Amino acid sequence: MARAEVPGRPPGEVLVMGAGTIGCFVGGSLAAAGVPVTFVGRPRVLQGLAEHGLALTDLEGGTHRLPAASLRLSEQVPVGAMPSLVLLCVKSGATAAAAAELAFALPAGTLVVSLQNGISNCASASRVGPTLQVLPGMVPYNVAEIGPGAFHRGTAGRLAAQDDAALRPWLPVFARAGVPLDLYPDLLPVQWGKLLLNLNNPVNALSGLPLRDELLQRGYRRCFAALIDEALGVLGSAGIAPAQVAAVPAQRLSAVLRLPDWLFRIVAARMLRIDAKARSSMADDLALGRRTEIDALSGEVVRLAQDQDLEAPRNARMFALLEEWPAQPRRWTARQLQDALGLS
């Protein structure tokens, strides 16, 4: 694993493909540190940035404000753009279209880092955009949109990406921007470690609660733990050992999640270092009527199980619940969700 040590000048410009919560926070942090950044995104988000500028806050009390006039905003990859680094931050369902646009508009060999949930986005982007140099990445923290142009990081962690010589000059830049980046020779175990944690996203989304409030209810935690246990069984059959991304290994996490509430508060104090503004991006998607990324989370578990001639019924059920939600929107109590997953 390579870590940033000293500050440095940016090797070039950055293009954020997908100016959502992660794209705006990471890209905005880089811009606040003096990196030229272009944000490509949907009209709703871009309008908020154009009217209000970009405001970034975090769990530790950090604040950055970038005036609207300083932001470079576009609904498409600008003609003639030649970024040294692209941060691919679109939702998983938009990966193919985004990669096709990037490959059409940018020079061959352009470096792209996928800062997306799930396992398969990098491979998907590479298939559609074979002229791009696409590397997998991982975002460990939660970022919420708390107002037009305002984004808040509610949990801690360090970005991760596949090690590559082209990405190493960016390490001091990311460190100086307050979004440190670690490089790994094999990112797949890290991606699966993060995916296990992300299996709480659908639980949180269906609960309708902020992350911390949801985690403080044992019934919801039991659902989260059941999804983790099922995924760990599938990973074991596939010979994949997920990296430790949380404060405790995934194999111990499910036991911690099942503790009584009073004991969980004590044992999981570090895990509960989440502020009241934090919520899952999946919850935001439901609130905005958008399709969720459940296919990149529970869907990945189900597909890996199928590859091993196994089943993952609880992750399959969670997949179905999220897919059905737009037609039957409702807030699920902990008891209702446990019953739906077959937990006694």
Side-chain angles (χ1 to χ4, degrees):
M1 180 180 70
R3 284 182 179 254
E5 298 293 340
V6 295
R9 297 179 59 187
E13 298 189 4
V14 169
L15 185 142
V16 172
M17 190 65 173
T21 55
I22 297 301
C24 282
F25 188 85
V26 177
S29 297
L30 292 170
V35 179
V37 178
T38 298
F39 297 89
V40 178
R42 295 186 299 269
R44 181 190 68 81
V45 176
L46 296 182
Q47 182 178 351
L49 295 173
E51 294 178 357
H52 301 277
L54 179 56
L56 306 177
T57 54
D58 61 41
L59 180 66
E60 296 79 24
T63 301
H64 292 296
R65 294 190 179 279
L66 298 172
S70 71
L71 301 175
R72 299 194 293 185
L73 311 174
S74 179
E75 293 184 27
Q76 297 177 324
V77 177
V79 175
M82 298 183 65
S84 296
L85 174 64
V86 174
L87 302 179
L88 183 58
C89 303
V90 298
K91 295 290 185 179
S92 297
T95 296
E101 183 178 348
L102 291 169
F104 177 79
L106 301 181
T110 297
L111 180 63
V112 178
V113 176
S114 164
L115 295 182
Q116 301 168 277
N117 285 329
I119 307 296
S120 307
N121 285 301
C122 179
S124 298
S126 295
R127 283 195 299 271
V128 176
T131 60
L132 304 170
Q133 182 185 358
V134 187
L135 301 176
M138 186 276 290
V139 180
Y141 36 73
N142 168 272
V143 178
E145 183 180 1
I146 58 176
F151 299 88
H152 180 80
R153 175 175 62 77
T155 57
R158 297 171 66 96
L159 298 172
Q162 185 82 28
D163 191 12
D164 189 276
L167 194 52
R168 292 174 196 164
W170 285 97
L171 294 180
V173 180
F174 276 73
R176 178 162 55 89
V179 285
L181 172 67
D182 297 332
L183 303 183
Y184 293 79
D186 181 9
L187 196 69
L188 185 62
V190 178
Q191 289 178 290
W192 273 109
K194 174 63 188 315
L195 189 146
L196 292 174
L197 298 183
N198 279 346
L199 291 176
N200 186 53
N201 287 7
V203 178
N204 175 253
L206 293 177
S207 77
L209 297 172
L211 274 170
R212 193 174 191 279
D213 291 347
E214 174 242 318
L215 286 171
L216 286 173
Q217 294 193 34
R218 185 169 181 261
Y220 289 125
R221 296 197 308 274
R222 290 187 69 225
C223 296
F224 181 19
L227 296 175
I228 289 177
D229 284 345
E230 186 174 81
L232 284 172
V234 173
L235 288 170
S237 296
I240 299 173
Q244 180 178 335
V245 177
V248 298
Q251 291 79 359
R252 287 179 52 203
L253 178 58
S254 61
V256 172
L257 291 170
R258 290 187 172 92
L259 293 173
D261 288 339
W262 69 269
L263 186 54
F264 179 76
R265 285 177 177 268
I266 299 171
V267 174
R270 182 175 173 185
M271 182 188 300
L272 291 172
R273 192 166 175 259
I274 306 170
D275 61 38
K277 299 184 183 72
R279 60 182 183 267
S280 71
S281 60
M282 193 169 288
D284 291 339
D285 289 339
L286 289 187
L288 292 170
R290 296 195 300 245
R291 189 171 185 181
T292 72
E293 287 190 296
I294 191 63
D295 185 59
L297 301 178
S298 290
E300 294 276 17
V301 177
V302 171
R303 284 190 291 275
L304 184 62
Q306 292 170 343
D307 290 343
Q308 309 301 313
D309 293 323
L310 299 172
E311 294 183 347
R314 285 173 175 153
N315 277 277
R317 178 60 173 147
M318 186 61 81
F319 183 100
L321 292 178
L322 268 294
E323 290 289 279
E324 295 165 2
W325 195 91
Q328 296 180 316
R330 57 180 288 196
R331 173 181 171 181
W332 288 72
T333 68
R335 181 71 266 166
Q336 289 168 337
L337 196 54
Q338 288 177 90
D339 289 343
L341 295 180
L343 302 177
S344 57

